[in-house]
Amino acid sequence: MPTHTHHSTHSTTNRQMNRQLHARHLQLLSIGGVIGAGFFLGAGRTISLAGTSVLIVYALVGLFVFLVMRAMGELLLSDLNFRSFIDVIDRYLGRGASFVVGWSYWLCWLIIAIANTVAMTGYMQFWYPDIALWLPATLNIALIVFVNLLSVKWFGEVESYLTLIKVITMFIIIGTGLVLLITGAKVGEYRADIGNLFNPQNFMPQGLAGFFAAFQLAVQANAGAELVGTASSETNNPKENLPKAINQIPIRVMLFFVGSLAVILAIIPLADIRVGISPFVQLFGLLGFGAVAGVINFVALSAGVSSANSGLYSASRMVYGLAMQGNAPTSFGKLSKQGVPVYGVIYSALYLALSFALLYGADNVVQAFVLISTVSSVCFILIWAVILLAYLRYRKTAPHLHQTSSYKMPYGKALSYLTLVFFGWVLYLFSQNPDTVKGLLFVPVWVAVLLGVYLCWFRKSE
């Protein structure tokens, strides 16, 4: 069974990753990776598909993703030599599994960085309808590469402030909505009324098909929760900070996703929610605060920068971890004086150029976003499922570590199996929807290619 014998590349790097991320950084990172431009851009589409039942979709997906994070938390804290969940998979499921999952995770975060770079162009068009499509994408790529080449402490600081902008805005949206509902204020032609949430006509406007279709966007919205596991190797006190960050995931899902969407649904009639525009921008536009709509648009823009920034961070750290295992070229394991995997950052950043192909090749920004976000969603489900399989293997082969764990997953085995069944059901839903079936079909091809590369090249080097 392959273990950490692959980590001999450490001798070539002579530097270690710096534990410069504090509890504050890790808490905000766990939020920042998730509330991307995709949530702001995709919320209108999710609502139009599922109506008020979208609240159930987000709560359900959030619950099962939280269970995966609990399993991951117990695994990472069982041995503080684990740099990320890829090391866990390497130990409990073998090197082939860690190779496939590691490179799939790298792809996932690259897609998130590309998707947010694409989405940001849509937000720039709010102010400058005739802006050259390549300009916002180029500025974003230059900025996030610069931030990622600085020390991890600088990355943590920049990401914390970008996330704070998002968090404060979400509180303002929810707070404004609550005031409107309590006072029964008029919003445009409509009156804010909590009763809209319980109107049977608003529950599943497109029936079960619409309800099921919303799962893809809810999975995409929760993607990035495991970023806390990737960052744990650069956290100064993982035993305390990691459980704290994971335990706040359900609160975050209920507040930011369910809370903000509930406010929108109680105020704007379902038929009037426009798919191509953020419903949050639409809300303030209806209130007559054109300037505030501009501010929300700016926040969505900063959310795009933040998620793309997290995406490049995660992709480069994953490449570094793979190099440490012998699953990527050794040069990716070299660190700069600041402890940054500089080659991993540059290599991953090169692929961000695909943003331009999507921007110029798709009919519109939303269409491009849906296509690539589906691939990302399916990849994340695959990765979460493998984390659970590693957890079940750990429970079987290292029961003593579970017994002495300070962060046991409650009902770990039963809930792991239940979550795997749920993920299987979600993938079945993807196969039934023409919008998502293309992304679903891409992932098995990707996995087959990775297995081929591993068997022909990396396995021989063991």
Side-chain angles (χ1 to χ4, degrees):
M1 175 72 65
T3 62
H4 291 277
T5 51
H6 313 308
H7 299 166
S8 57
T9 35
H10 255 305
S11 58
T12 66
T13 62
N14 69 38
R15 295 190 185 100
Q16 294 281 348
M17 298 277 256
N18 294 330
R19 287 192 178 269
Q20 293 180 336
L21 293 178
H22 301 289
R24 171 175 62 89
H25 294 134
L26 202 62
Q27 295 283 359
L28 288 167
L29 268 176
S30 70
I31 300 168
V34 172
I35 310 175
F39 178 62
F40 287 92
L41 192 69
R45 185 165 179 268
T46 356
I47 291 171
S48 70
L49 287 167
T52 49
S53 70
V54 75
L55 306 178
I56 298 170
V57 174
Y58 272 96
L60 258 181
V61 174
L63 168 68
F64 284 107
V65 171
F66 171 63
L67 294 177
V68 177
M69 296 310 106
R70 280 300 308 252
M72 183 187 74
E74 182 180 336
L75 285 165
L76 285 170
L77 294 176
S78 70
D79 183 346
L80 291 182
N81 289 318
F82 289 141
R83 280 183 306 273
S84 77
F85 61 84
I86 290 301
D87 287 348
V88 174
I89 291 167
D90 186 49
R91 176 173 294 182
Y92 291 108
L93 298 179
R95 190 178 171 195
S98 70
F99 180 89
V100 170
V101 170
W103 281 109
S104 296
Y105 192 67
W106 170 83
L107 176 74
C108 277
W109 273 107
L110 266 189
I111 286 173
I112 285 178
I114 291 166
N116 279 283
T117 302
V118 168
M120 281 172 58
T121 303
Y123 285 105
M124 286 299 285
Q125 287 170 336
F126 177 85
W127 294 299
Y128 309 106
D130 301 321
I131 193 168
L133 294 179
W134 60 267
L135 187 57
T138 305
L139 291 173
N140 181 51
I141 292 167
L143 176 65
I144 64 171
V145 170
F146 174 71
V147 169
N148 271 274
L149 288 174
L150 300 170
S151 69
V152 71
K153 188 179 179 186
W154 270 104
F155 164 81
E157 286 299 326
V158 170
E159 193 52 40
S160 295
Y161 286 115
L162 286 170
T163 299
L164 274 174
I165 294 171
K166 293 186 272 193
V167 170
I168 291 165
T169 306
M170 296 302 267
F171 276 119
I172 291 169
I173 289 166
I174 293 166
T176 304
L178 289 175
V179 170
L180 292 171
L181 288 166
I182 291 163
T183 58
K186 273 197 91 177
V187 181
E189 303 164 34
Y190 324 106
R191 195 165 292 284
D193 183 0
I194 197 82
N196 291 332
L197 291 177
F198 305 100
N199 183 337
Q201 288 179 311
N202 292 343
F203 185 60
M204 283 189 194
Q206 295 190 31
L208 279 172
F211 175 71
F212 292 151
F215 275 87
Q216 184 264 322
L217 290 154
V219 168
Q220 182 62 30
N222 279 278
E226 70 302 303
L227 180 57
V228 291
T230 311
S232 66
S233 64
E234 296 180 87
T235 308
N236 59 358
N237 186 0
K239 284 215 162 188
E240 194 179 312
N241 295 340
L242 190 60
K244 205 181 281 182
I246 290 172
N247 290 342
Q248 288 195 353
I249 288 172
I251 302 165
R252 182 193 72 202
V253 168
M254 292 309 292
L255 185 66
F256 295 124
F257 293 152
V258 178
S260 64
L261 293 179
V263 159
I264 293 292
L265 283 158
I267 296 169
I268 308 176
L270 196 61
D272 284 30
I273 290 173
R274 290 157 66 191
V275 174
I277 293 181
S278 165
F280 307 111
V281 173
Q282 203 182 333
L283 171 65
F284 286 100
L286 283 171
L287 286 169
F289 299 130
V292 178
V295 170
I296 300 287
N297 199 68
F298 166 75
V299 172
L301 193 67
S302 70
V305 176
S306 168
S307 277
N309 194 32
S310 294
L312 185 57
Y313 169 84
S314 296
S316 63
R317 287 338 186 250
M318 194 47 60
V319 166
Y320 170 80
L322 286 162
M324 291 291 93
Q325 293 176 339
N327 282 334
T330 47
S331 58
F332 291 154
K334 290 180 180 170
L335 299 173
S336 67
K337 288 178 185 173
Q338 289 76 34
V340 172
V342 63
Y343 293 115
V345 171
I346 292 166
Y347 174 74
S348 301
L350 291 173
Y351 289 90
L352 297 180
L354 290 170
S355 307
F356 303 113
L358 279 165
L359 281 167
Y360 287 97
D363 292 342
N364 60 58
V365 170
V366 175
Q367 185 191 15
F369 197 90
V370 171
L371 179 69
I372 53 179
S373 68
T374 305
V375 175
S376 171
S377 299
V378 178
C379 273
F380 271 109
I381 289 172
L382 169 76
I383 289 155
W384 294 336
V386 177
I387 290 171
L388 291 172
L389 293 174
Y391 176 80
L392 289 168
R393 180 82 183 145
Y394 146 87
R395 287 293 302 269
K396 190 175 182 181
T397 59
H400 59 288
L401 290 177
H402 173 68
Q403 290 302 321
T404 56
S405 172
S406 59
Y407 191 54
K408 284 189 184 79
M409 180 186 178
Y411 308 105
K413 287 183 184 175
L415 288 177
S416 292
Y417 284 118
L418 181 65
T419 308
L420 286 168
V421 170
F422 175 76
F423 288 152
W425 178 69
V426 172
L427 289 176
Y428 168 74
L429 294 181
F430 281 22
S431 73
Q432 301 303 298
N433 185 336
D435 284 349
T436 51
V437 77
K438 287 177 197 164
L440 182 65
L441 292 173
F442 170 82
V443 175
V445 176
W446 165 259
V447 170
V449 169
L450 284 179
L451 281 171
V453 170
Y454 171 72
L455 292 171
C456 296
W457 189 5
F458 286 93
R459 193 179 184 191
K460 289 176 183 174
S461 69
E462 269 189 271

